[in-house]
Amino acid sequence: MASSSSSSTERRGIPGAQFVEDVETYLNQSGLDVNSALSFLQERLQQYKLVEMKLLAQQRDLQAKIPDIEKCLDVVSTLQAKKGTGEAIIADFEVSEGIYSRASIEDTDSVCLWLGANVMLEYSCEEATSLLQKNLDNAKASLEVLVADLQFLRDQVTITQVTIARVYNWDVHQRRMRQAAGTSTDS
């Protein structure tokens, strides 16, 4: 967390939150009154929440994709291991949601992989293994970056929430001081 009111960082397009040590200095430097500062901070907090929802959705997608890729790698590996043994592999595969069919797979030199957008291509087992491993490595690397982004974002949310509380509490304190000063001069 930044300890100075002028520190602000950015990570992959996510603006860094500014930790405010001295609310009065912050308000003077930013040229905002208390209500405008609170509005700005609330808006920033909402932006962080929207980005967090987007990143969490991407994380869920990757967390679902990684086991699928690993399963495909296992299948290709099994096909390669059984090649040349003369032993057929009996497999059940999903034709449609809830509808399965059984197949007997004998020696094969190639597999078909869904690439997305209703595209399927045939690859040799070696090419498929290479492609799937590359996709798995990329998905894991992307997941690591997303986890780091989410941690950074959570830090920014916390800093922003603390700043909102500090500005609000400062304003309450200032009002009480003005009220006390007004009461003591009336006596």
Side-chain angles (χ1 to χ4, degrees), residues 102-165:
R102 179 160 286 166
S104 174
I105 304 169
E106 303 196 9
D107 279 352
T108 182
D109 293 325
S110 63
V111 294
C112 294
L113 298 177
W114 284 108
L115 299 181
N118 293 325
V119 175
M120 178 184 273
L121 286 178
E122 184 175 0
Y123 291 94
S124 71
C125 289
E126 293 77 19
E127 289 174 324
T129 300
S130 174
L131 176 66
L132 289 168
Q133 190 59 55
K134 181 178 141 204
N135 288 350
L136 181 62
D137 294 342
N138 289 342
K140 285 181 176 180
S142 294
L143 185 58
E144 282 182 30
V145 169
L146 269 174
V147 167
D149 287 350
L150 281 165
Q151 184 57 52
F152 175 79
L153 191 59
R154 287 182 183 118
D155 290 346
Q156 305 322 298
V157 166
T158 301
I159 292 168
T160 304
Q161 289 171 333
V162 167
T163 301
I164 289 170

Side-chain angles (χ1 to χ4, degrees), residues 77-120:
S77 176
T78 302
L79 288 172
Q80 285 179 304
K82 296 286 184 176
K83 186 177 177 187
T85 64
E87 185 181 338
I89 299 172
I90 306 299
D92 292 329
F93 61 96
E94 192 171 15
V95 177
S96 181
E97 190 171 330
I99 300 173
Y100 292 84
S101 183
R102 179 160 286 166
S104 174
I105 304 169
E106 303 196 9
D107 279 352
T108 182
D109 293 325
S110 63
V111 294
C112 294
L113 298 177
W114 284 108
L115 299 181
N118 293 325
V119 175
M120 178 184 273

Side-chain angles (χ1 to χ4, degrees), residues 48-60:
Y48 286 146
K49 294 292 184 178
L50 288 173
V51 171
E52 183 181 32
M53 286 176 21
K54 178 183 162 199
L55 292 178
L56 286 171
Q58 290 175 357
Q59 183 183 31
R60 279 191 304 274

Side-chain angles (χ1 to χ4, degrees), residues 2-19:
S3 60
S4 128
S5 61
S6 62
S7 289
S8 184
T9 58
E10 182 176 303
R11 178 180 169 92
R12 293 181 6 109
I14 302 169
Q18 186 177 16
F19 179 74

